Amino acid sequence: MAITDWPADERPREKLLARGAAALSDAELLAIFLRVGIRGQSAVDLARALLSRFGTLTRMCGADANEFAAVPGMGLAKYAQLQAVMELSRRALAETLVARPLFDSPQVVRDWLRLRLGHLPHETFCVLLLDARHCLIEAVDLFRGTLTQTSVYPREVVKLALARNAAAVILAHNHPSGAAEPSTADELLTRALKDALGLVDVRVLDHFVVPAHGHPVSFAERGLL
């Protein structure tokens, strides 16, 4: 049955307008993005098939162009639309980070880091450079590694902080393997970076580990700083 034949209060678009986006399931939200289905499948059916194929929204949004376009009913145009939506989300959250001290918006920081790093298939080490009010100056992906590890050089982090005149930093890196817990190597690196940046009066406010799935883990909340 086509979505237009459904009762009005069950159609995703009408449901969103009546109850708000939070009331919709993942498949219903994705159906609104897709707009139309394919022969024999409504947009909701196609959305469910996409979620089943990729397993999670994060995995689907992080798929490469060829993998996404290989799904029946998808294509490079839909892939481009999806990536545009993701980038708009990142930029909207980044505007909040620039406008407000990061201590005032810890959940926004987590959400932004998940969008920035959570879908990547390789480890990336990101530095959020902050001014004296702890507002964002710039976020820089400084080092890139393999699936399981990356090399981080404290000297380069110090040089970056001095070049941007940062008063403080928040560090973050992802774990593409899915593990959320900081490793011993992560803890040792954080101490080394804190000591090196302390020599030039730049504070390390936090270090986040961003898993492929789930919520980023804060070193500050764990008492590891």
Side-chain angles (χ1 to χ4, degrees), residues 56-131:
T56 65
L57 283 171
T58 302
R59 177 73 184 81
M60 184 195 73
C61 293
D64 64 31
N66 292 332
E67 186 179 14
F68 186 85
V71 178
M74 297 299 101
L76 293 178
K78 274 284 186 269
Y79 176 79
Q81 286 179 284
L82 180 62
Q83 294 309 307
V85 168
M86 295 297 294
E87 184 59 26
L88 284 171
S89 299
R90 280 189 284 266
R91 293 186 187 190
L93 286 170
E95 287 179 0
T96 302
L97 297 183
V98 171
R100 293 164 50 188
L102 268 61
F103 275 161
D104 292 350
S105 50
Q107 188 56 49
V108 173
V109 177
R110 277 187 162 89
D111 291 342
W112 184 85
L113 287 172
R114 287 184 67 188
L115 282 171
R116 175 100 171 198
L117 301 175
H119 66 285
L120 297 177
H122 52 267
E123 272 207 14
T124 294
F125 187 88
C126 181
V127 181
L128 281 68
L129 300 144
L130 314 178
D131 63 19

Side-chain angles (χ1 to χ4, degrees), residues 125-132 135-143 152-171 192-205:
F125 187 88
C126 181
V127 181
L128 281 68
L129 300 144
L130 314 178
D131 63 19
C135 293
L136 185 68
I137 299 171
E138 186 180 357
V140 178
D141 293 339
L142 195 55
F143 303 107
V152 177
Y153 302 99
R155 180 179 64 181
E156 296 303 316
V157 179
V158 171
K159 284 171 59 179
L160 176 66
L162 290 174
R164 301 298 192 276
N165 197 30
V169 299
I170 290 177
L171 311 170
L193 289 169
K194 183 178 178 180
D195 290 343
L197 288 162
L199 294 173
V200 292
D201 295 323
V202 177
R203 293 182 59 202
V204 176
L205 301 183

Side-chain angles (χ1 to χ4, degrees), residues 49-60 213:
L50 271 170
L51 292 171
S52 177
R53 179 185 181 109
F54 289 105
T56 65
L57 283 171
T58 302
R59 177 73 184 81
M60 184 195 73
H213 309 290

Side-chain angles (χ1 to χ4, degrees), residues 2-85:
I3 290 178
T4 53
D5 296 326
W6 294 10
D9 62 351
E10 293 183 13
R11 300 172 196 164
R13 188 180 303 162
E14 285 76 3
K15 187 175 175 181
L16 183 149
L17 293 172
R19 305 186 207 171
L24 275 65
S25 68
D26 291 347
E28 289 171 327
L29 289 170
L30 189 52
I32 292 175
F33 167 77
L34 294 173
R35 294 183 57 246
V36 295
I38 57 176
R39 184 182 296 274
Q41 286 186 304
S42 70
V44 172
D45 294 330
L46 185 54
R48 288 172 179 154
L50 271 170
L51 292 171
S52 177
R53 179 185 181 109
F54 289 105
T56 65
L57 283 171
T58 302
R59 177 73 184 81
M60 184 195 73
C61 293
D64 64 31
N66 292 332
E67 186 179 14
F68 186 85
V71 178
M74 297 299 101
L76 293 178
K78 274 284 186 269
Y79 176 79
Q81 286 179 284
L82 180 62
Q83 294 309 307
V85 168

